[in-house]
């Protein structure tokens, strides 16, 4: 078997004196969708941000594509064909949709922008109609599509998605999750998905990890985790 | 309507309270020391202006069709906004010296200096969103760089101009480093302090800067090596072209020099905005965390904004030094930073045309108003108008403040609020 695309081993992260991640081990293989679920404050976003180098892991290693990236500055990490759609979308409100997308492509030095743009417009036809509109005028769902599209403009191998379902209507969430599945199937894109919406995330993902108080407590395939009674009790049936 | 009237009365009452002592009473030199003199008409005029202004504002705001317009204003990205205004302004600027009036050319030079400073600061504040209250520091660095290089090494203006820009950019980076992690209010405070530090150093480092006495006899710029000199001999412009030497020639030359420098600033800014670096500045203004997540090197992006903004400030400073032929720390006080910042904010953050318009109104407009009032005073023999004209410089800050408040009420995003996209399909 080939080496995983991303391996975290023994990663601990601190905010000052407060430990946010405890000795996390995790792997993401090429071509997989892996989801990370957990309650509020469990450290899901911290884990994702630690991969991006902000905050830095105090111990442990983060090996991406055979190279330890744990000590690299954030902008170097993000130029290794890792792209992130950050929590809360964070699109550039006063810039047009097209400019937002360009921002994703330019930093990583993409040259074939028209082709990339076509690809994203195929994936999210809603964006195509709104290319010259200001980002801030989009609806929440469209903004999420834009945030993902902006990340995809960097032609990533690994896409990090931080709560793409945040504050969106179920129908829109389904659209976005559908697009992620399509991307993964058609282009073999590797996706690490952080989600509160455990049910849908586990159905989408090949494998999943459960994070509780900064430590991984369970791991398994999506279907496997979905079937476990403790998961059902804690995350799926109205909270336990 | 009733509410509007009531509000207008209240505003007029406040204005009365403010203007009665501020404008209504004047201290004059009398026979035996100071005498207090009343000026009720001037105060009354101002109170009446506030009353009717406030009333008009209400009627304007309550006119029908308000929502529809607001939606339209918010949603539509104006493309090619004011397409004719910018070329018209440019043509006006190029043709202005043809009036042959020294007064207008001097005023134009002053306005253009502020336009250039506004455009320079616009890079830092308008595009990159870094609130800089100490921009005058770079203006001072540019001016003193030229003055000191000319004095010490006998270098000419054209050699020193790029050096002044480079030195100012260097100081921009130097300021940039400690404030990299700061944003908003905190950044503003540190930049404010930086501006003051530079000024205080200029005052106190007497051995190098001559302290409060300033530097005199700064050489004037040359036109391809030809001096603007009154003797009209060999090596002067007048001698070369075989024309009568006149002061206006140098004044016009200086005018075109600052026009060219300002246009250079504008051109570079427009070019940069369409390049990844410029877009990264704007993205940084919008959301720093998103920038990091995209792999933008935030440190470099901020430092280049500070450096390039400072560089143009330095150019403007060198020009200021050569135009005045005399500089002292007095020219580089906080009020200059505030004026330039006000120009950028009034113009509309990030808008090149807006900054030019705002500089025209804030610097040129005030001067024209003074001129108009004194002419009126002379012609009508009115004590009131000529008195106001004489006092106008004292009220500069009052008018600035008023203009800012009115603008923020009427057009919260500045004179030219629409942002031109940097890339279109």
């Amino acid at each position: 078997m080939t080496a995983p695309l991303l391996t975290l081993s023994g990663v601990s992260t601190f905010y000052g004196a407060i430990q946010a991640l405890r000795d996390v081990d995790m792997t993401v293989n090429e071509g997989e969708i892996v989801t990370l679920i957990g309650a509020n404050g469990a450290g899901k976003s911290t884990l994702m941000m630690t991969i991006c180098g902000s905050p830095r892991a105090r111990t442990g290693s983060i090996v991406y594509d055979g190279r330890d990236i744990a000590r690299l500055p954030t902008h170097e990490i993000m130029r290794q064909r890792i792209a992130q759609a950050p929590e809360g979308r964070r699109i550039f409100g006063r810039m047009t949709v097209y400019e937002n997308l360009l921002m994703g492509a330019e930093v990583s030095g993409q040259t074939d922008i028209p082709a990339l743009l076509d690809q994203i417009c195929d994936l999210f036809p809603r964006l195509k109609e709104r290319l010259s509109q200001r980002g801030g005028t989009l609806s929440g769902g469209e903004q999420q599509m834009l945030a993902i599209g902006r990340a995809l403009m960097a032609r990533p191998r690994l896409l990090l998605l931080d709560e793409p379902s945040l504050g969106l209507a179920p129908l829109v969430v389904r659209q976005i999750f559908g697009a992620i599945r399509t991307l993964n199937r058609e282009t073999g894109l590797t996706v690490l998905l952080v989600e509160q919406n455990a049910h849908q995330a586990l159905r989408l993902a090949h494998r999943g990890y459960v994070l509780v108080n900064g430590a991984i407590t369970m791991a398994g395939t999506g279907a496997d985790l979905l079937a476990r009674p403790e998961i059902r009790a804690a995350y799926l049936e109205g909270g336990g | 309507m009733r509410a509007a009237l009531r509000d207008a009365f209240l505003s007029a009452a406040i204005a009365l309270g403010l203007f009665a002592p501020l404008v209504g009473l004047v201290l004059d030199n009398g026979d035996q020391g100071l005498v207090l003199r009343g000026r009720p008409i001037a105060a009354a005029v101002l109170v009446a202006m506030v009353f009717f202004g406030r009333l008009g504002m209400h009627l304007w705001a309550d006119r029908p069709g308000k929502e529809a317009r607001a939606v339209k204003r918010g949603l539509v990205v104006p493309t090619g906004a004011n397409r004719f205004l910018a070329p018209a302004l440019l043509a006006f600027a190029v043709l202005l010296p043809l009036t042959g009036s020294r007064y207008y050319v001097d005023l134009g030079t002053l306005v253009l200096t502020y336009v250039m400073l506004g455009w320079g600061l616009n890079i830092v504040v308008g595009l990159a969103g870094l609130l800089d209250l100490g921009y005058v520091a770079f203006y001072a660095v540019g001016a003193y760089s030229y003055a000191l290089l000319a004095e010490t090494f006998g270098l000419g203006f054209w050699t020193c101009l790029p050096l002044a820009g480079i030195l100012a950019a260097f100081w921009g980076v130097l300021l940039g480093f400690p404030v990299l992690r700061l944003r908003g209010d905190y950044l503003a405070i540190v930049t404010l302090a930086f501006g003051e530090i530079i000024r205080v150093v200029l005052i106190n480092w007497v051995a190098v800067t001559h302290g409060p006495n300033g530097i005199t006899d700064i050489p004037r710029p040359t036109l391809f090596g030809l001096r603007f000199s009154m003797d009209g001999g060999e090596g002067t412009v007048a001698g070369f072209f075989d024309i009568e030497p006149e002061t206006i020639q140098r004044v016009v030359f200086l005018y075109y020099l600052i026009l060219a420098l300002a246009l250079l600033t504008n051109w570079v800014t427009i070019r940069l905005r369409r390049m990844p670096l410029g877009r990264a500045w704007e993205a940084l203004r919008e959301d720093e965390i998103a920038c990091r997540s995209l792999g933008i090197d935030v440190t470099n992006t901020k430092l280049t904004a500070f450096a390039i903004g400072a560089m143009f400030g330095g150019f403007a400073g060198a020009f200021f030094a050569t135009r005045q032929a005399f500089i002292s720390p007095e020219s580089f006080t906080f009020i200059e930073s505030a004026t330039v910042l006000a120009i950028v904010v009034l113009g509309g953050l990030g808008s090149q045309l807006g900054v030019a318009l705002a500089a025209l109104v804030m610097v040129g407009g005030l001067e024209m108003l003074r001129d108009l009032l004194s002419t009126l005073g002379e012609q009508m023999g009115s004590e009131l108008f000529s008195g106001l004209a004489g006092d106008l410089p004292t009220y500069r800050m009052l008018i600035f403040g008023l203009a800012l408040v009115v603008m923020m009420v009427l057009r919260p995003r500045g004179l030219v609020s629409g942002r031109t996209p940097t890339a279109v399909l």
Side-chain angles (χ1 to χ4, degrees):
Chain A
M1 200 183 138
T2 54
L5 185 61
L6 181 74
T7 311
L8 279 73
S9 28
V11 170
S12 297
T13 303
F14 293 76
Y15 289 115
I18 298 159
Q19 187 163 12
L21 290 180
R22 298 165 197 277
D23 210 14
V24 169
D25 294 317
M26 187 170 141
T27 57
V28 180
N29 295 309
E30 183 111 50
E32 261 188 331
I33 301 179
V34 174
T35 187
L36 187 66
I37 59 174
N40 276 335
K44 305 186 296 293
S45 291
T46 303
L47 179 53
M48 182 153 285
M49 295 310 290
T50 303
I51 295 172
C52 298
S54 166
R56 247 164 239 299
R58 193 173 289 181
T59 62
S61 71
I62 302 171
V63 176
Y64 168 79
D65 200 18
R67 181 177 175 205
D68 191 348
I69 57 168
R71 303 286 168 266
L72 290 181
T74 303
H75 65 270
E76 291 285 332
I77 295 172
M78 305 317 287
R79 287 176 194 185
Q80 311 281 324
R81 297 188 64 192
I82 299 179
Q84 191 203 34
E87 184 179 6
R89 309 187 277 263
R90 293 191 173 273
I91 57 152
F92 305 121
R94 284 185 71 195
M95 299 167 81
T96 64
V97 171
Y98 178 51
E99 286 174 304
N100 267 275
L101 291 172
L102 277 182
M103 288 307 304
E106 275 167 351
V107 178
S108 52
Q110 300 302 325
T111 45
D112 197 5
I113 286 169
L116 281 165
L117 201 62
D118 280 347
Q119 194 195 341
I120 286 162
C121 289
D122 284 347
L123 192 67
F124 300 117
R126 295 273 283 280
L127 291 184
K128 187 172 188 158
E129 305 158 19
R130 312 215 183 284
L131 279 175
S132 58
Q133 215 168 301
R134 286 210 329 249
T137 63
L138 300 185
S139 72
E142 288 163 346
Q143 289 193 7
Q144 186 60 59
M145 293 173 194
L146 178 56
I148 297 174
R150 186 176 65 184
L152 288 174
M153 287 295 278
R155 294 172 62 103
R157 280 175 78 186
L158 173 63
L159 177 65
L160 307 175
L161 297 176
D162 200 342
E163 297 222 26
S165 74
L166 192 74
L168 299 184
L171 187 69
V172 183
V173 175
R174 220 168 300 149
Q175 273 177 12
I176 286 173
F177 278 30
I180 297 169
R181 179 174 289 139
T182 312
L183 264 175
N184 173 260
R185 276 206 194 126
E186 289 178 0
T187 66
L189 177 73
T190 313
V191 180
L192 176 59
L193 172 70
V194 162
E195 260 303 336
Q196 289 250 24
N197 191 337
H199 186 71
Q200 296 216 16
L202 286 173
R203 289 217 321 202
L204 173 71
H206 299 111
R207 290 190 304 115
Y209 290 88
V210 179
L211 202 61
V212 177
N213 283 335
I216 303 262
T217 55
M218 263 180 276
T221 64
D224 179 27
L225 286 175
L226 260 180
R228 289 209 201 176
E230 57 268 48
I231 299 266
R232 298 194 72 87
Y235 303 110
L236 302 178
E237 284 163 2
Chain B
M1 189 65 206
R2 252 187 97 114
L5 267 175
R6 231 187 75 156
D7 187 76
F9 266 119
L10 270 175
S11 309
I14 294 172
L16 185 66
L18 275 175
F19 289 130
L22 279 176
V23 180
L25 297 176
V26 208
L27 279 177
D28 260 344
N29 288 317
D31 298 331
Q32 288 129 3
L34 294 171
V35 233
L36 195 62
R37 193 162 56 79
R39 205 164 42 172
I41 303 173
V45 166
L46 283 170
V47 171
M49 272 164 65
V50 168
F51 176 78
F52 287 109
R54 188 77 193 167
L55 196 64
M57 224 168 78
H58 274 288
L59 298 179
W60 175 258
D62 293 343
R63 71 202 190 285
K66 190 175 163 193
E67 274 93 22
R69 273 192 311 275
V71 168
K72 207 170 148 199
R73 232 189 349 233
L75 285 180
V76 178
V77 179
T79 47
N82 305 307
R83 201 178 309 161
F84 302 108
L85 192 51
L89 273 180
L90 181 62
F92 175 71
V94 170
L95 297 178
L96 182 73
L98 294 184
T99 59
S101 147
R102 167 141 193 198
Y103 171 73
Y104 281 118
V105 176
D106 266 337
L107 182 57
T109 311
L110 185 69
V111 170
L112 280 172
T113 311
Y114 279 97
V115 169
M116 176 159 181
L117 285 171
W119 278 340
L121 185 62
N122 200 20
I123 294 174
V124 185
V125 180
L127 295 182
L130 304 162
L131 184 52
D132 185 349
L133 288 182
Y135 192 62
V136 74
F138 308 123
Y139 191 42
V141 167
Y144 270 86
S145 298
Y146 171 50
L148 290 174
L149 283 170
E151 190 188 56
T152 319
F153 301 108
L155 296 177
F157 175 74
W158 294 105
T159 325
C160 292
L161 184 66
L163 290 175
I166 290 167
L167 281 167
F170 168 74
W171 281 96
V173 173
L174 218 60
L175 166 68
F177 266 114
V179 301
L180 275 173
R181 297 153 57 100
L182 306 179
R183 277 194 83 85
D185 321 357
Y186 305 97
L187 178 66
I189 285 294
V190 177
T191 53
L192 175 67
F194 181 76
E196 284 303 292
I197 288 171
I198 295 276
R199 191 176 61 86
V200 170
V201 166
L202 289 179
I203 292 177
N204 290 292
W205 199 8
V206 180
V208 173
T209 64
H210 307 304
N213 296 332
I215 301 175
T216 47
D217 289 334
I218 301 166
R220 301 289 193 169
T222 54
L223 177 68
F224 299 110
L226 299 173
R227 284 176 295 113
F228 286 90
S229 161
M230 284 304 105
D231 57 36
E234 196 71 10
T236 67
V237 173
F240 186 81
F241 292 109
D242 205 16
I243 46 175
E244 204 58 36
E246 279 178 77
T247 328
I248 187 85
Q249 290 157 358
R250 192 188 67 220
V251 174
V252 169
F253 173 65
L254 282 170
Y255 174 83
Y256 279 118
L257 178 60
I258 187 67
L259 180 62
L261 283 173
L263 288 176
L264 175 77
T265 313
N266 186 35
W267 181 76
V268 169
T269 309
I270 289 174
R271 286 301 299 259
L272 280 172
R273 263 195 88 212
R274 296 192 184 131
M275 296 194 333
L277 176 64
R279 254 198 294 281
W281 286 340
E282 287 198 78
L284 193 69
R285 177 190 69 200
E286 302 290 305
D287 196 320
E288 187 169 335
I289 292 176
C291 283
R292 281 180 201 280
S293 86
L294 289 176
I296 291 170
D297 185 345
V298 177
T299 307
N300 271 348
T301 310
K302 280 189 185 179
L303 288 182
T304 46
F306 271 121
I308 294 176
M311 181 182 76
F312 288 120
F315 286 158
F319 172 80
F320 177 76
T322 197
R323 179 187 177 219
Q324 302 286 323
F326 164 74
I327 52 169
S328 75
E330 253 172 66
S331 310
F332 307 105
T333 50
F334 169 67
I335 207 70
E336 295 296 319
S337 292
T339 307
V340 178
L341 186 68
I343 285 171
V344 173
V345 173
L346 274 181
L349 291 173
S351 162
Q352 296 292 98
L353 179 62
V355 168
L357 284 175
L360 193 64
V361 173
M362 299 271 288
V363 183
L366 208 64
E367 182 59 33
M368 301 287 270
L369 182 64
R370 195 185 65 79
D371 193 43
L372 181 76
L373 281 174
S374 64
T375 318
L376 273 177
E378 270 168 34
Q379 286 187 348
M380 295 161 60
S382 153
E383 183 86 354
L384 174 64
F385 283 118
S386 46
L388 273 179
D391 287 348
L392 204 63
T394 330
Y395 296 127
R396 215 169 92 139
M397 284 305 118
L398 189 70
I399 295 173
F400 265 27
L402 196 69
L404 273 167
V405 171
V406 169
M407 279 294 300
M408 289 306 114
V409 171
L410 293 181
R411 295 191 70 96
R413 282 183 173 274
L415 280 170
V416 182
S417 54
R419 177 183 168 275
T420 322
T422 58
V424 280
L425 282 171

